Amino acid sequence: SLAVFLLVGFQGWLGAVVVKTHLHPLMITLHMLLALFIVALLIYAIARSQNDLLRQIDISKLPDKFKTVLIVAMGFTLLQVGMGTQVREAVDLIATHHNYIDREYWRDSFPIIFYIHRSFSAVILFTNLWLAWKIFQSVHKNNLLLSLAYALVGLIITAILAGVSLDRLGMPPVAQPIHLLMANLIFGIQFFIFICISYADKNRDRLATS
């Protein structure tokens, strides 16, 4: 919690640097990744305070490779966020070129990274659908993991719809913060599932050796 407090202050300073450097792509990426790290720390602090409850989650029927795929999915999310910051930087340049008007024509100038970012969303979707399906198959209806799986799929679909609106509906301003917020929440849910699995694993190992 103390680390989060200090990092929020540092994040504010870094945000000022982002503006001062006129949205330099590297600084935007660092700013975004630090935001995700702060989210992860907050989730860890909450989970750590509730570790006795989280240890009771039954993951005995989850496939052995579930945690590995989850880590890969988190890596995919970070990669997608990194590409998204590059798209954002390109959009800012395009907006300046168009004097911040005629938003419906910005799409004609999108760089190749935008199309990679757009296509990679399918990889994100199907990887997380697999995770959600395995949770659905393996846990009881009142299991916390099932609620998190539903939330994860809902957030990903919302993020994709916001991205589609940016692509097809002339870059509506409201879709940009929604798209960004969904990315943060998706990573947060993935990390929370990871923490839950980790605590449940420790409890399963302890019971196996006792």
Side-chain angles (χ1 to χ4, degrees):
S1 298
L2 178 59
V4 169
F5 174 75
L6 296 174
L7 284 174
V8 168
F10 180 74
Q11 178 77 322
W13 172 82
L14 187 60
V17 174
V18 170
V19 175
K20 187 177 180 180
T21 57
H22 303 288
L23 302 179
H24 188 280
L26 177 60
M27 298 307 298
I28 294 176
T29 302
L30 289 175
H31 192 53
M32 184 64 180
L33 292 178
L34 182 57
L36 294 178
F37 185 62
I38 290 172
V39 168
L41 278 179
L42 286 168
I43 291 171
Y44 175 73
I46 294 171
R48 180 72 178 268
S49 70
Q50 302 295 323
N51 71 86
D52 290 339
L53 177 64
L54 297 181
R55 288 176 188 272
Q56 299 174 20
I57 296 176
D58 182 11
I59 61 169
S60 59
K61 295 183 181 180
L62 282 177
D64 293 337
K65 61 182 178 180
F66 182 89
K67 193 172 184 179
T68 300
V69 176
L70 176 58
I71 293 172
V72 170
M74 292 168 62
F76 283 166
T77 300
L78 292 176
L79 178 59
Q80 183 75 328
V81 167
M83 289 191 289
T85 60
Q86 301 305 304
V87 173
R88 169 61 193 275
E89 189 266 344
V91 168
D92 287 330
L93 293 176
I94 294 168
T96 302
H97 178 73
H98 286 269
N99 294 318
Y100 295 92
I101 59 175
D102 301 324
R103 298 176 73 95
E104 64 271 18
Y105 299 112
W106 293 6
R107 184 178 183 273
D108 297 335
S109 303
F110 283 171
I112 188 65
I113 189 68
F114 167 78
Y115 298 99
I116 298 173
H117 179 69
R118 184 182 66 180
S119 299
F120 196 67
S121 63
V123 177
I124 299 287
L125 175 62
F126 289 115
T127 302
N128 286 278
L129 280 176
W130 183 90
L131 293 170
W133 176 246
K134 291 303 177 182
I135 290 175
F136 179 79
Q137 287 183 314
S138 306
V139 304
H140 299 296
K141 290 183 178 180
N142 60 346
N143 195 302
L144 174 62
L145 290 180
L146 187 59
S147 298
L148 293 174
Y150 287 147
L152 180 60
V153 173
L155 290 171
I156 292 173
I157 292 174
T158 303
I160 290 175
L161 291 176
V164 169
S165 69
L166 289 169
D167 181 23
R168 298 295 182 180
L169 300 180
M171 300 289 294
V174 68
Q176 290 178 286
I178 292 175
H179 193 59
L180 182 64
L181 176 62
M182 292 304 104
N184 277 272
L185 294 177
I186 288 167
F187 180 78
I189 292 290
Q190 289 174 330
F191 185 75
F192 190 30
I193 294 174
F194 175 79
I195 291 295
C196 291
I197 296 294
S198 298
Y199 277 124
D201 263 341
K202 289 179 181 178
N203 188 53
R204 184 169 58 177
D205 293 342
R206 182 180 62 81
L207 292 175
T209 56
S210 61

